[in-house]
Amino acid sequence: MLRFVPLVLLLLLAACSGAADDPQTAFEDLEDRLLQAETVAFDFQVVSEGVIEGDLSGVVTLTQGGDVTLEAEGHFIGRQIQMTMETDADSLRMATSEMSDAVARPDDTFRAMVLGFTRMGILHNLAALTTVSPPEHADGGIAEWVEAVRFETDEQEEDAGITFDILVEGQRTSSATMILDDGLPVRRRQVVDFPGGAMIVQERYSDFRITR
């Protein structure tokens, strides 16, 4: 009977290998890894084409306690713009080259920023910041508001990517392909459907830093 043990081990290893290659598992592992981190920080460059054009770059740092520091600059919908978002003990402050505002510090900022990033890409909250609006659902409910579904592996990418659809309030709004390196995102391509046409978004991330 002992002679069958190696076969059992091989089958278990094969099953574990398959799970690691599953695109949904890889995506969920990414979200869990970021949500459990004490600090998440990275640089970004975002280019959008089509019905909405923009080119923004910057850096963001998020902490489990809800601290946010974000700086970005570039152009968006025909405007040259510089933007910042940061928190203090009581407030979330937002400013652009043209305007500024502050709101009471939302309770769920960290989770909203992380899940907004993984599911929608960072451009969504950057676009909100151009009008000094706080992160989407920073007061709670981000996981129910936006979902990533229908995962597949995109073998057409130079590095195999995770492809998925994005639902907002249950309605499909876009599709995305995310490329991971050592379990962390390095780039993302997303096609967002608008009534007047599509917006194609390319996001690149570098110097990803996570502390626990």
Side-chain angles (χ1 to χ4, degrees):
M1 187 168 183
L2 290 177
R3 62 182 177 177
F4 293 109
V5 171
L7 177 59
V8 171
L9 291 176
L10 286 174
L11 290 173
L12 288 173
L13 288 172
C16 292
S17 175
D21 292 337
D22 176 69
Q24 182 170 350
T25 299
F27 185 87
E28 291 172 351
D29 287 348
L30 166 64
E31 289 196 334
D32 288 344
R33 184 176 179 184
L34 298 183
L35 288 172
Q36 292 171 15
E38 182 61 32
T39 303
V40 175
F42 57 91
D43 299 347
F44 58 82
Q45 181 175 19
V46 180
V47 176
S48 63
E49 301 175 314
V51 295
I52 297 178
E53 295 187 350
D55 188 338
L56 297 165
S57 59
V59 59
V60 61
T61 301
L62 313 169
T63 75
Q64 188 71 238
D67 295 324
V68 176
T69 303
L70 186 152
E71 299 178 355
E73 63 179 350
H75 68 85
F76 190 69
I77 316 181
R79 299 162 55 199
Q80 284 295 130
I81 195 166
Q82 291 183 320
M83 305 184 290
T84 60
M85 179 166 60
E86 58 184 353
T87 55
D88 59 25
D90 303 309
S91 64
L92 172 68
R93 301 187 303 275
M94 301 153 290
T96 74
S97 314
E98 305 154 345
M99 64 188 96
S100 63
D101 196 9
V103 298
R105 181 167 168 159
D107 293 333
D108 210 20
T109 304
F110 178 74
R111 183 175 176 84
M113 289 288 289
V114 168
L115 296 186
F117 165 64
T118 56
R119 299 183 185 188
M120 302 189 78
I122 197 168
L123 180 59
H124 183 79
N125 280 325
L126 290 177
L129 184 56
T130 66
T131 62
V132 293
S133 298
E136 191 76 60
H137 282 263
D139 54 353
I142 185 69
E144 295 74 30
W145 181 72
V146 60
E147 301 173 87
V149 299
R150 291 188 280 276
F151 292 90
E152 295 181 359
T153 300
D154 186 354
E155 300 291 354
Q156 295 181 358
E157 290 283 343
E158 181 179 346
D159 302 309
I162 300 170
T163 295
F164 53 94
D165 287 343
I166 299 148
L167 307 183
V168 175
E169 295 183 335
Q171 299 297 312
R172 182 188 178 280
T173 62
S174 52
S175 61
T177 299
M178 183 187 295
I179 308 300
L180 304 181
D181 182 15
D182 194 25
L184 293 172
V186 292
R187 67 181 188 274
R188 173 191 185 107
R189 183 181 187 275
Q190 185 162 324
V191 180
V192 185
D193 299 318
F194 290 104
M199 175 179 67
I200 302 170
V201 184
Q202 303 273 1
E203 299 188 355
R204 292 184 177 273
Y205 320 112
S206 59
D207 197 20
F208 227 104
R209 305 173 302 281
I210 295 179
T211 60
R212 292 186 178 276

